[in-house]
Amino acid sequence: MGQPRASATQETQILHGHCAMVLGAEGRWLRVQSADGYEGWLHEGYTHPCDDGKSVEWGWDIETELSMGCSIRDKNGATLDLPLGAALVRDAHCIAGRAMDRTRRRETFPQTPEAIVASATALFQGTYYQWGGITPWGADCSGMLQSVFALHGVHLLRDAWQQATQGVAVEGGLDELKAADLLFFSDREDGHITHVAMSMGNSRLVHVAVGRGGHCLESLDRPDDYVEGLISRFRVARRILA
């Protein structure tokens, strides 16, 4: 949350089983920093102490099984549905859906442009737009891409403007895009980045956009009014995978 109250705006999400560093507290609200460096407020009712409070490991990289979309049952018999990326904590086991340990994840989701595009198009298909969301249950533009790349072992920062500082610039703009390149857009006079999408190659892109109501595949060579407006706001493309 952006502020220590239940009615505050959701800024991002920390998934079940992922750790965060506690920076301070205000009543029962904790000021925390996640592994990507993002800070915000989290109510203590959603927390449980991690093994050590001195370091925060990137949750997508842990050895523990991560949900690919599954239901778990804990040692007390309680069941819980977990979104993509949530960690299965101790004494919990998968009773429906899929979960994978790190070795299996690295085999199934390699660091290749084609595999990353496939994950973005398939795993988030049907996702609605949710400010601060990072899962197929609801995501914003940068949240989806951070999760997709993380699934493949690539660390992206949280916000679109932060992601625009990563990788290398694509010379030639839209004409030189390759699969898994990131495209950045701005609707502000100062050019501050406000939206990100990913190239699928062949003049197509995938993104989660409020103007589309969520997850959508776009064609740059056969643009409708929405895509024409998007192209007019294009600022830069970055290649994350060398």
Side-chain angles (χ1 to χ4, degrees), residues 138-174:
D140 60 26
C141 60
S142 55
M144 179 193 76
L145 292 175
Q146 186 190 48
S147 292
V148 167
F149 275 85
L151 180 61
H152 291 260
V154 180
H155 296 185
L156 286 186
L157 297 174
R158 177 59 182 88
D159 289 338
W161 69 268
Q162 295 173 312
Q163 293 172 1
T165 68
Q166 297 181 258
V168 297
V170 176
E171 302 297 336
L174 296 176

PDB file of all heavy atoms in Angstrom, residues 138-174:
ATOM      1  N   GLY A 138      -4.809 -10.534 -11.896  1.00  0.00           N
ATOM      2  CA  GLY A 138      -4.931  -9.094 -12.083  1.00  0.00           C
ATOM      3  C   GLY A 138      -3.545  -8.484 -12.099  1.00  0.00           C
ATOM      4  O   GLY A 138      -2.747  -8.740 -11.198  1.00  0.00           O
ATOM      5  N   ALA A 139      -3.236  -7.708 -13.121  1.00  0.00           N
ATOM      6  CA  ALA A 139      -1.880  -7.163 -13.253  1.00  0.00           C
ATOM      7  C   ALA A 139      -1.918  -5.816 -13.956  1.00  0.00           C
ATOM      8  O   ALA A 139      -2.853  -5.507 -14.698  1.00  0.00           O
ATOM      9  CB  ALA A 139      -0.987  -8.133 -14.036  1.00  0.00           C
ATOM     10  N   ASP A 140      -0.882  -5.021 -13.705  1.00  0.00           N
ATOM     11  CA  ASP A 140      -0.668  -3.832 -14.519  1.00  0.00           C
ATOM     12  C   ASP A 140       0.437  -4.142 -15.532  1.00  0.00           C
ATOM     13  O   ASP A 140       0.973  -5.264 -15.558  1.00  0.00           O
ATOM     14  CB  ASP A 140      -0.374  -2.589 -13.667  1.00  0.00           C
ATOM     15  CG  ASP A 140       0.863  -2.709 -12.787  1.00  0.00           C
ATOM     16  OD1 ASP A 140       1.784  -3.485 -13.123  1.00  0.00           O
ATOM     17  OD2 ASP A 140       0.919  -2.010 -11.750  1.00  0.00           O
ATOM     18  N   CYS A 141       0.764  -3.170 -16.375  1.00  0.00           N
ATOM     19  CA  CYS A 141       1.662  -3.451 -17.502  1.00  0.00           C
ATOM     20  C   CYS A 141       3.038  -3.938 -17.053  1.00  0.00           C
ATOM     21  O   CYS A 141       3.540  -4.966 -17.530  1.00  0.00           O
ATOM     22  CB  CYS A 141       1.791  -2.215 -18.389  1.00  0.00           C
ATOM     23  SG  CYS A 141       2.469  -0.733 -17.579  1.00  0.00           S
ATOM     24  N   SER A 142       3.656  -3.230 -16.117  1.00  0.00           N
ATOM     25  CA  SER A 142       4.997  -3.607 -15.679  1.00  0.00           C
ATOM     26  C   SER A 142       4.965  -4.810 -14.752  1.00  0.00           C
ATOM     27  O   SER A 142       5.928  -5.587 -14.693  1.00  0.00           O
ATOM     28  CB  SER A 142       5.674  -2.425 -14.975  1.00  0.00           C
ATOM     29  OG  SER A 142       4.880  -1.939 -13.911  1.00  0.00           O
ATOM     30  N   GLY A 143       3.858  -4.990 -14.020  1.00  0.00           N
ATOM     31  CA  GLY A 143       3.741  -6.143 -13.124  1.00  0.00           C
ATOM     32  C   GLY A 143       3.736  -7.454 -13.873  1.00  0.00           C
ATOM     33  O   GLY A 143       4.379  -8.428 -13.457  1.00  0.00           O
ATOM     34  N   MET A 144       2.989  -7.506 -14.985  1.00  0.00           N
ATOM     35  CA  MET A 144       2.990  -8.733 -15.778  1.00  0.00           C
ATOM     36  C   MET A 144       4.386  -9.046 -16.287  1.00  0.00           C
ATOM     37  O   MET A 144       4.863 -10.190 -16.186  1.00  0.00           O
ATOM     38  CB  MET A 144       2.038  -8.623 -16.963  1.00  0.00           C
ATOM     39  CG  MET A 144       2.028  -9.885 -17.833  1.00  0.00           C
ATOM     40  SD  MET A 144       1.234  -9.754 -19.453  1.00  0.00           S
ATOM     41  CE  MET A 144       2.458  -8.853 -20.391  1.00  0.00           C
ATOM     42  N   LEU A 145       5.060  -8.040 -16.829  1.00  0.00           N
ATOM     43  CA  LEU A 145       6.369  -8.301 -17.429  1.00  0.00           C
ATOM     44  C   LEU A 145       7.412  -8.640 -16.375  1.00  0.00           C
ATOM     45  O   LEU A 145       8.269  -9.493 -16.606  1.00  0.00           O
ATOM     46  CB  LEU A 145       6.792  -7.098 -18.264  1.00  0.00           C
ATOM     47  CG  LEU A 145       5.936  -6.902 -19.518  1.00  0.00           C
ATOM     48  CD1 LEU A 145       6.312  -5.624 -20.237  1.00  0.00           C
ATOM     49  CD2 LEU A 145       6.070  -8.099 -20.456  1.00  0.00           C
ATOM     50  N   GLN A 146       7.344  -8.017 -15.203  1.00  0.00           N
ATOM     51  CA  GLN A 146       8.278  -8.390 -14.142  1.00  0.00           C
ATOM     52  C   GLN A 146       8.101  -9.862 -13.779  1.00  0.00           C
ATOM     53  O   GLN A 146       9.080 -10.600 -13.624  1.00  0.00           O
ATOM     54  CB  GLN A 146       8.085  -7.527 -12.897  1.00  0.00           C
ATOM     55  CG  GLN A 146       9.136  -7.795 -11.825  1.00  0.00           C
ATOM     56  CD  GLN A 146       8.838  -7.126 -10.502  1.00  0.00           C
ATOM     57  OE1 GLN A 146       7.726  -7.216  -9.984  1.00  0.00           O
ATOM     58  NE2 GLN A 146       9.838  -6.452  -9.944  1.00  0.00           N
ATOM     59  N   SER A 147       6.856 -10.314 -13.651  1.00  0.00           N
ATOM     60  CA  SER A 147       6.599 -11.704 -13.278  1.00  0.00           C
ATOM     61  C   SER A 147       7.005 -12.674 -14.383  1.00  0.00           C
ATOM     62  O   SER A 147       7.582 -13.735 -14.106  1.00  0.00           O
ATOM     63  CB  SER A 147       5.116 -11.889 -12.933  1.00  0.00           C
ATOM     64  OG  SER A 147       4.792 -11.200 -11.745  1.00  0.00           O
ATOM     65  N   VAL A 148       6.708 -12.335 -15.621  1.00  0.00           N
ATOM     66  CA  VAL A 148       7.065 -13.217 -16.736  1.00  0.00           C
ATOM     67  C   VAL A 148       8.577 -13.393 -16.820  1.00  0.00           C
ATOM     68  O   VAL A 148       9.085 -14.519 -16.910  1.00  0.00           O
ATOM     69  CB  VAL A 148       6.500 -12.675 -18.068  1.00  0.00           C
ATOM     70  CG1 VAL A 148       7.137 -13.398 -19.252  1.00  0.00           C
ATOM     71  CG2 VAL A 148       4.989 -12.834 -18.101  1.00  0.00           C
ATOM     72  N   PHE A 149       9.318 -12.296 -16.793  1.00  0.00           N
ATOM     73  CA  PHE A 149      10.775 -12.405 -16.857  1.00  0.00           C
ATOM     74  C   PHE A 149      11.317 -13.125 -15.625  1.00  0.00           C
ATOM     75  O   PHE A 149      12.259 -13.924 -15.729  1.00  0.00           O
ATOM     76  CB  PHE A 149      11.413 -11.019 -16.998  1.00  0.00           C
ATOM     77  CG  PHE A 149      11.497 -10.528 -18.420  1.00  0.00           C
ATOM     78  CD1 PHE A 149      10.424  -9.885 -19.010  1.00  0.00           C
ATOM     79  CD2 PHE A 149      12.650 -10.714 -19.174  1.00  0.00           C
ATOM     80  CE1 PHE A 149      10.490  -9.444 -20.331  1.00  0.00           C
ATOM     81  CE2 PHE A 149      12.739 -10.284 -20.492  1.00  0.00           C
ATOM     82  CZ  PHE A 149      11.650  -9.637 -21.069  1.00  0.00           C
ATOM     83  N   ALA A 150      10.740 -12.867 -14.442  1.00  0.00           N
ATOM     84  CA  ALA A 150      11.199 -13.529 -13.219  1.00  0.00           C
ATOM     85  C   ALA A 150      11.020 -15.035 -13.304  1.00  0.00           C
ATOM     86  O   ALA A 150      11.861 -15.804 -12.808  1.00  0.00           O
ATOM     87  CB  ALA A 150      10.449 -12.973 -12.012  1.00  0.00           C
ATOM     88  N   LEU A 151       9.924 -15.477 -13.906  1.00  0.00           N
ATOM     89  CA  LEU A 151       9.691 -16.905 -14.077  1.00  0.00           C
ATOM     90  C   LEU A 151      10.810 -17.555 -14.873  1.00  0.00           C
ATOM     91  O   LEU A 151      11.155 -18.723 -14.668  1.00  0.00           O
ATOM     92  CB  LEU A 151       8.342 -17.121 -14.784  1.00  0.00           C
ATOM     93  CG  LEU A 151       7.903 -18.551 -15.050  1.00  0.00           C
ATOM     94  CD1 LEU A 151       7.748 -19.334 -13.750  1.00  0.00           C
ATOM     95  CD2 LEU A 151       6.590 -18.557 -15.824  1.00  0.00           C
ATOM     96  N   HIS A 152      11.419 -16.787 -15.761  1.00  0.00           N
ATOM     97  CA  HIS A 152      12.527 -17.278 -16.593  1.00  0.00           C
ATOM     98  C   HIS A 152      13.889 -16.924 -16.003  1.00  0.00           C
ATOM     99  O   HIS A 152      14.916 -17.051 -16.694  1.00  0.00           O
ATOM    100  CB  HIS A 152      12.390 -16.710 -18.001  1.00  0.00           C
ATOM    101  CG  HIS A 152      11.207 -17.262 -18.756  1.00  0.00           C
ATOM    102  ND1 HIS A 152      11.305 -18.265 -19.684  1.00  0.00           N
ATOM    103  CD2 HIS A 152       9.884 -16.943 -18.680  1.00  0.00           C
ATOM    104  CE1 HIS A 152      10.108 -18.546 -20.166  1.00  0.00           C
ATOM    105  NE2 HIS A 152       9.222 -17.759 -19.574  1.00  0.00           N
ATOM    106  N   GLY A 153      13.914 -16.468 -14.755  1.00  0.00           N
ATOM    107  CA  GLY A 153      15.174 -16.194 -14.072  1.00  0.00           C
ATOM    108  C   GLY A 153      15.812 -14.871 -14.398  1.00  0.00           C
ATOM    109  O   GLY A 153      16.998 -14.668 -14.134  1.00  0.00           O
ATOM    110  N   VAL A 154      15.035 -13.928 -14.954  1.00  0.00           N
ATOM    111  CA  VAL A 154      15.558 -12.610 -15.326  1.00  0.00           C
ATOM    112  C   VAL A 154      14.911 -11.567 -14.417  1.00  0.00           C
ATOM    113  O   VAL A 154      13.683 -11.495 -14.318  1.00  0.00           O
ATOM    114  CB  VAL A 154      15.257 -12.276 -16.798  1.00  0.00           C
ATOM    115  CG1 VAL A 154      15.821 -10.902 -17.161  1.00  0.00           C
ATOM    116  CG2 VAL A 154      15.836 -13.350 -17.709  1.00  0.00           C
ATOM    117  N   HIS A 155      15.726 -10.747 -13.767  1.00  0.00           N
ATOM    118  CA  HIS A 155      15.220  -9.767 -12.814  1.00  0.00           C
ATOM    119  C   HIS A 155      14.916  -8.436 -13.488  1.00  0.00           C
ATOM    120  O   HIS A 155      15.809  -7.775 -14.009  1.00  0.00           O
ATOM    121  CB  HIS A 155      16.239  -9.535 -11.700  1.00  0.00           C
ATOM    122  CG  HIS A 155      16.494 -10.742 -10.860  1.00  0.00           C
ATOM    123  ND1 HIS A 155      17.290 -10.719  -9.744  1.00  0.00           N
ATOM    124  CD2 HIS A 155      16.069 -12.032 -10.974  1.00  0.00           C
ATOM    125  CE1 HIS A 155      17.351 -11.925  -9.204  1.00  0.00           C
ATOM    126  NE2 HIS A 155      16.617 -12.736  -9.941  1.00  0.00           N
ATOM    127  N   LEU A 156      13.656  -8.038 -13.467  1.00  0.00           N
ATOM    128  CA  LEU A 156      13.255  -6.706 -13.897  1.00  0.00           C
ATOM    129  C   LEU A 156      12.847  -5.898 -12.667  1.00  0.00           C
ATOM    130  O   LEU A 156      12.332  -6.456 -11.696  1.00  0.00           O
ATOM    131  CB  LEU A 156      12.063  -6.759 -14.856  1.00  0.00           C
ATOM    132  CG  LEU A 156      12.288  -7.223 -16.291  1.00  0.00           C
ATOM    133  CD1 LEU A 156      10.996  -7.046 -17.082  1.00  0.00           C
ATOM    134  CD2 LEU A 156      13.415  -6.476 -16.962  1.00  0.00           C
ATOM    135  N   LEU A 157      13.043  -4.598 -12.723  1.00  0.00           N
ATOM    136  CA  LEU A 157      12.544  -3.724 -11.679  1.00  0.00           C
ATOM    137  C   LEU A 157      11.026  -3.626 -11.796  1.00  0.00           C
ATOM    138  O   LEU A 157      10.413  -4.162 -12.715  1.00  0.00           O
ATOM    139  CB  LEU A 157      13.224  -2.359 -11.794  1.00  0.00           C
ATOM    140  CG  LEU A 157      14.748  -2.384 -11.584  1.00  0.00           C
ATOM    141  CD1 LEU A 157      15.358  -1.019 -11.864  1.00  0.00           C
ATOM    142  CD2 LEU A 157      15.103  -2.848 -10.168  1.00  0.00           C
ATOM    143  N   ARG A 158      10.395  -2.942 -10.844  1.00  0.00           N
ATOM    144  CA  ARG A 158       8.935  -3.032 -10.744  1.00  0.00           C
ATOM    145  C   ARG A 158       8.162  -2.131 -11.706  1.00  0.00           C
ATOM    146  O   ARG A 158       7.229  -2.577 -12.376  1.00  0.00           O
ATOM    147  CB  ARG A 158       8.507  -2.743  -9.291  1.00  0.00           C
ATOM    148  CG  ARG A 158       6.991  -2.745  -9.067  1.00  0.00           C
ATOM    149  CD  ARG A 158       6.389  -4.098  -9.446  1.00  0.00           C
ATOM    150  NE  ARG A 158       4.947  -4.107  -9.280  1.00  0.00           N
ATOM    151  CZ  ARG A 158       4.079  -3.735 -10.207  1.00  0.00           C
ATOM    152  NH1 ARG A 158       4.513  -3.290 -11.385  1.00  0.00           N
ATOM    153  NH2 ARG A 158       2.778  -3.813  -9.985  1.00  0.00           N
ATOM    154  N   ASP A 159       8.507  -0.849 -11.744  1.00  0.00           N
ATOM    155  CA  ASP A 159       7.718   0.096 -12.537  1.00  0.00           C
ATOM    156  C   ASP A 159       8.241   0.225 -13.959  1.00  0.00           C
ATOM    157  O   ASP A 159       9.422  -0.024 -14.232  1.00  0.00           O
ATOM    158  CB  ASP A 159       7.714   1.470 -11.880  1.00  0.00           C
ATOM    159  CG  ASP A 159       6.884   1.499 -10.608  1.00  0.00           C
ATOM    160  OD1 ASP A 159       6.000   0.634 -10.454  1.00  0.00           O
ATOM    161  OD2 ASP A 159       7.114   2.388  -9.771  1.00  0.00           O
ATOM    162  N   ALA A 160       7.372   0.656 -14.866  1.00  0.00           N
ATOM    163  CA  ALA A 160       7.756   0.804 -16.273  1.00  0.00           C
ATOM    164  C   ALA A 160       8.936   1.753 -16.430  1.00  0.00           C
ATOM    165  O   ALA A 160       9.867   1.480 -17.191  1.00  0.00           O
ATOM    166  CB  ALA A 160       6.562   1.289 -17.095  1.00  0.00           C
ATOM    167  N   TRP A 161       8.935   2.874 -15.708  1.00  0.00           N
ATOM    168  CA  TRP A 161      10.019   3.849 -15.857  1.00  0.00           C
ATOM    169  C   TRP A 161      11.339   3.271 -15.346  1.00  0.00           C
ATOM    170  O   TRP A 161      12.402   3.614 -15.864  1.00  0.00           O
ATOM    171  CB  TRP A 161       9.680   5.154 -15.146  1.00  0.00           C
ATOM    172  CG  TRP A 161       9.640   5.076 -13.642  1.00  0.00           C
ATOM    173  CD1 TRP A 161       8.549   4.823 -12.859  1.00  0.00           C
ATOM    174  CD2 TRP A 161      10.743   5.262 -12.744  1.00  0.00           C
ATOM    175  NE1 TRP A 161       8.893   4.828 -11.529  1.00  0.00           N
ATOM    176  CE2 TRP A 161      10.233   5.104 -11.426  1.00  0.00           C
ATOM    177  CE3 TRP A 161      12.093   5.536 -12.913  1.00  0.00           C
ATOM    178  CZ2 TRP A 161      11.035   5.208 -10.297  1.00  0.00           C
ATOM    179  CZ3 TRP A 161      12.898   5.646 -11.778  1.00  0.00           C
ATOM    180  CH2 TRP A 161      12.369   5.483 -10.492  1.00  0.00           C
ATOM    181  N   GLN A 162      11.266   2.379 -14.364  1.00  0.00           N
ATOM    182  CA  GLN A 162      12.472   1.715 -13.869  1.00  0.00           C
ATOM    183  C   GLN A 162      12.974   0.687 -14.873  1.00  0.00           C
ATOM    184  O   GLN A 162      14.177   0.567 -15.132  1.00  0.00           O
ATOM    185  CB  GLN A 162      12.191   1.048 -12.530  1.00  0.00           C
ATOM    186  CG  GLN A 162      11.849   2.007 -11.408  1.00  0.00           C
ATOM    187  CD  GLN A 162      11.426   1.280 -10.151  1.00  0.00           C
ATOM    188  OE1 GLN A 162      10.590   0.376 -10.176  1.00  0.00           O
ATOM    189  NE2 GLN A 162      12.019   1.664  -9.022  1.00  0.00           N
ATOM    190  N   GLN A 163      12.052  -0.073 -15.455  1.00  0.00           N
ATOM    191  CA  GLN A 163      12.427  -1.081 -16.452  1.00  0.00           C
ATOM    192  C   GLN A 163      13.060  -0.432 -17.677  1.00  0.00           C
ATOM    193  O   GLN A 163      13.897  -1.050 -18.352  1.00  0.00           O
ATOM    194  CB  GLN A 163      11.189  -1.894 -16.847  1.00  0.00           C
ATOM    195  CG  GLN A 163      10.645  -2.747 -15.710  1.00  0.00           C
ATOM    196  CD  GLN A 163       9.308  -3.396 -16.042  1.00  0.00           C
ATOM    197  OE1 GLN A 163       8.771  -3.229 -17.137  1.00  0.00           O
ATOM    198  NE2 GLN A 163       8.756  -4.138 -15.086  1.00  0.00           N
ATOM    199  N   ALA A 164      12.707   0.821 -17.950  1.00  0.00           N
ATOM    200  CA  ALA A 164      13.272   1.543 -19.100  1.00  0.00           C
ATOM    201  C   ALA A 164      14.739   1.894 -18.898  1.00  0.00           C
ATOM    202  O   ALA A 164      15.387   2.380 -19.835  1.00  0.00           O
ATOM    203  CB  ALA A 164      12.462   2.813 -19.369  1.00  0.00           C
ATOM    204  N   THR A 165      15.276   1.659 -17.707  1.00  0.00           N
ATOM    205  CA  THR A 165      16.701   1.890 -17.444  1.00  0.00           C
ATOM    206  C   THR A 165      17.520   0.615 -17.606  1.00  0.00           C
ATOM    207  O   THR A 165      18.743   0.653 -17.490  1.00  0.00           O
ATOM    208  CB  THR A 165      16.919   2.423 -16.011  1.00  0.00           C
ATOM    209  OG1 THR A 165      16.603   1.392 -15.051  1.00  0.00           O
ATOM    210  CG2 THR A 165      16.054   3.641 -15.743  1.00  0.00           C
ATOM    211  N   GLN A 166      16.868  -0.508 -17.881  1.00  0.00           N
ATOM    212  CA  GLN A 166      17.558  -1.793 -17.947  1.00  0.00           C
ATOM    213  C   GLN A 166      17.820  -2.207 -19.390  1.00  0.00           C
ATOM    214  O   GLN A 166      17.205  -1.705 -20.337  1.00  0.00           O
ATOM    215  CB  GLN A 166      16.726  -2.863 -17.228  1.00  0.00           C
ATOM    216  CG  GLN A 166      16.537  -2.590 -15.740  1.00  0.00           C
ATOM    217  CD  GLN A 166      15.741  -3.680 -15.044  1.00  0.00           C
ATOM    218  OE1 GLN A 166      14.558  -3.528 -14.774  1.00  0.00           O
ATOM    219  NE2 GLN A 166      16.416  -4.784 -14.740  1.00  0.00           N
ATOM    220  N   GLY A 167      18.754  -3.148 -19.554  1.00  0.00           N
ATOM    221  CA  GLY A 167      19.090  -3.622 -20.890  1.00  0.00           C
ATOM    222  C   GLY A 167      19.811  -2.570 -21.702  1.00  0.00           C
ATOM    223  O   GLY A 167      20.437  -1.662 -21.166  1.00  0.00           O
ATOM    224  N   VAL A 168      19.702  -2.700 -23.022  1.00  0.00           N
ATOM    225  CA  VAL A 168      20.351  -1.744 -23.929  1.00  0.00           C
ATOM    226  C   VAL A 168      19.309  -1.188 -24.894  1.00  0.00           C
ATOM    227  O   VAL A 168      18.326  -1.850 -25.227  1.00  0.00           O
ATOM    228  CB  VAL A 168      21.499  -2.405 -24.723  1.00  0.00           C
ATOM    229  CG1 VAL A 168      22.587  -2.881 -23.782  1.00  0.00           C
ATOM    230  CG2 VAL A 168      20.970  -3.582 -25.562  1.00  0.00           C
ATOM    231  N   ALA A 169      19.523   0.040 -25.330  1.00  0.00           N
ATOM    232  CA  ALA A 169      18.585   0.672 -26.257  1.00  0.00           C
ATOM    233  C   ALA A 169      18.594  -0.044 -27.600  1.00  0.00           C
ATOM    234  O   ALA A 169      19.637  -0.484 -28.089  1.00  0.00           O
ATOM    235  CB  ALA A 169      18.944   2.144 -26.439  1.00  0.00           C
ATOM    236  N   VAL A 170      17.421  -0.172 -28.207  1.00  0.00           N
ATOM    237  CA  VAL A 170      17.283  -0.766 -29.533  1.00  0.00           C
ATOM    238  C   VAL A 170      17.376   0.357 -30.560  1.00  0.00           C
ATOM    239  O   VAL A 170      16.481   1.214 -30.639  1.00  0.00           O
ATOM    240  CB  VAL A 170      15.948  -1.511 -29.671  1.00  0.00           C
ATOM    241  CG1 VAL A 170      15.785  -2.037 -31.103  1.00  0.00           C
ATOM    242  CG2 VAL A 170      15.859  -2.640 -28.663  1.00  0.00           C
ATOM    243  N   GLU A 171      18.464   0.379 -31.307  1.00  0.00           N
ATOM    244  CA  GLU A 171      18.627   1.405 -32.341  1.00  0.00           C
ATOM    245  C   GLU A 171      17.668   1.119 -33.495  1.00  0.00           C
ATOM    246  O   GLU A 171      17.509  -0.010 -33.924  1.00  0.00           O
ATOM    247  CB  GLU A 171      20.069   1.410 -32.848  1.00  0.00           C
ATOM    248  CG  GLU A 171      21.115   1.654 -31.758  1.00  0.00           C
ATOM    249  CD  GLU A 171      20.992   3.017 -31.104  1.00  0.00           C
ATOM    250  OE1 GLU A 171      20.436   3.937 -31.747  1.00  0.00           O
ATOM    251  OE2 GLU A 171      21.435   3.167 -29.945  1.00  0.00           O
ATOM    252  N   GLY A 172      17.020   2.156 -33.981  1.00  0.00           N
ATOM    253  CA  GLY A 172      16.085   1.964 -35.080  1.00  0.00           C
ATOM    254  C   GLY A 172      14.639   1.895 -34.649  1.00  0.00           C
ATOM    255  O   GLY A 172      13.737   1.817 -35.481  1.00  0.00           O
ATOM    256  N   GLY A 173      14.399   1.889 -33.329  1.00  0.00           N
ATOM    257  CA  GLY A 173      13.040   1.928 -32.820  1.00  0.00           C
ATOM    258  C   GLY A 173      12.178   0.747 -33.221  1.00  0.00           C
ATOM    259  O   GLY A 173      12.629  -0.401 -33.238  1.00  0.00           O
ATOM    260  N   LEU A 174      10.945   1.034 -33.606  1.00  0.00           N
ATOM    261  CA  LEU A 174       9.966  -0.014 -33.877  1.00  0.00           C
ATOM    262  C   LEU A 174      10.360  -0.911 -35.040  1.00  0.00           C
ATOM    263  O   LEU A 174       9.934  -2.073 -35.108  1.00  0.00           O
ATOM    264  CB  LEU A 174       8.597   0.616 -34.154  1.00  0.00           C
ATOM    265  CG  LEU A 174       7.951   1.397 -32.997  1.00  0.00           C
ATOM    266  CD1 LEU A 174       6.651   2.041 -33.467  1.00  0.00           C
ATOM    267  CD2 LEU A 174       7.700   0.496 -31.809  1.00  0.00           C
TER     268      LEU A 174
END
